[in-house]
Amino acid sequence: MHKMKILVLLIAATCFLTSCSLGGSRIDILNASNDEKDAADRLEHVIEAINNKEKEAIKALFSKKALDEADDFDVNTDYLLDFIEGTIESWEKPSGPTVFESNERGSKKKEVSSYYYVTTNKQKYFFLLVNYPIDTDNPDNVGIYMLLVVRAEDHDKIYDENNKIIYDKIIENGEAKLVELQHAGIYIPID
């Protein structure tokens, strides 16, 4: 009888530990942690290129789509390198990343938005990166789509729809709603 209780307990534990429906699958949990690591790695590449003033290295991180849609990417890269005062020494993640994934009939797409406070020896900044690590139907979309940079004290201003930086309020069918604005390339909305 004692052996039967142990056997039932082992079977129950095995079912519980291998279940994908309890609290999300382990694959989803692993993917989430990989998204966070991948986003941090992407930020590290951006920081390295900024610290080394490597314009071509910065450009190589962006998707072809972002480069095609950006207004004056090279000018904005120069502006970014001038805007960042000092050498980047550290970064911290306040939240995220926010991940949107789709998989429809084998067409996979993933958008990862990550948020960081980046500190130089002179100033603190807020970075928002929108990255597409996967897009099987549109490989030109793979890479960073947008890098938004503001001084840390201006962080809240980018989410204010009155500033029309990330969100804008529109009237549709008599109702006000917020729409997300798309900005390709390097975007420094507040000087």
Side-chain angles (χ1 to χ4, degrees):
M1 186 66 158
H2 184 64
K3 289 182 182 179
M4 184 61 97
K5 287 180 183 178
I6 292 173
L7 181 62
V8 169
L9 182 62
L10 285 173
I11 291 171
T14 302
C15 290
F16 177 76
L17 293 173
T18 59
S19 173
C20 291
S21 63
L22 296 173
S25 74
R26 285 190 314 273
I27 292 172
D28 290 341
I29 293 167
L30 289 172
N31 283 340
S33 65
N34 285 342
D35 291 334
E36 194 167 309
K37 182 186 178 316
D38 292 346
D41 288 346
R42 181 66 58 171
L43 175 68
E44 287 287 344
H45 290 294
V46 169
I47 288 172
E48 181 180 347
I50 290 171
N51 277 342
N52 294 327
K53 308 277 188 208
E54 296 175 343
K55 294 183 344 182
E56 288 304 312
I58 293 170
K59 192 173 193 173
L61 295 169
F62 283 80
S63 69
K64 182 178 181 330
K65 179 179 179 181
L67 296 173
D68 290 346
E69 293 179 5
D71 293 328
D72 297 320
F73 187 88
D74 293 328
V75 170
N76 288 333
T77 303
D78 289 335
Y79 185 61
L80 171 70
L81 295 175
D82 289 339
F83 184 73
I84 302 293
E85 297 175 29
T87 302
I88 297 172
E89 297 178 336
S90 65
W91 59 269
E92 62 184 286
K93 174 180 63 84
S95 66
T98 304
V99 180
F100 298 99
E101 285 186 87
S102 65
N103 186 349
E104 296 178 25
R105 299 183 194 130
S107 296
K108 297 179 184 178
K109 184 176 184 178
K110 182 188 285 190
E111 176 186 332
V112 179
S113 296
S114 50
Y115 318 86
Y116 302 96
Y117 286 105
V118 175
T119 304
T120 71
N121 55 344
K122 296 183 178 183
Q123 179 72 20
K124 188 172 184 177
Y125 299 90
F126 177 77
F127 281 32
L128 165 59
L129 283 93
V130 177
N131 183 44
Y132 290 90
I134 300 169
D135 192 336
T136 56
D137 286 349
N138 300 300
D140 287 347
N141 195 32
V142 174
I144 296 175
Y145 183 76
M146 180 186 71
L147 169 61
L148 180 145
V149 179
V150 295
R151 288 183 184 85
E153 62 265 20
D154 293 327
H155 165 258
D156 291 337
K157 292 177 184 176
I158 66 174
Y159 294 102
D160 182 348
E161 71 269 7
N162 294 320
N163 291 327
K164 298 182 181 183
I165 294 172
I166 294 183
Y167 297 104
D168 191 8
K169 192 183 301 184
I170 63 166
I171 306 296
E172 189 174 277
N173 298 329
E175 290 185 35
K177 73 179 208 177
L178 287 179
V179 293
E180 188 172 351
L181 302 172
Q182 298 295 316
H183 303 281
I186 296 169
Y187 185 45
I188 303 172
I190 303 169
D191 189 1

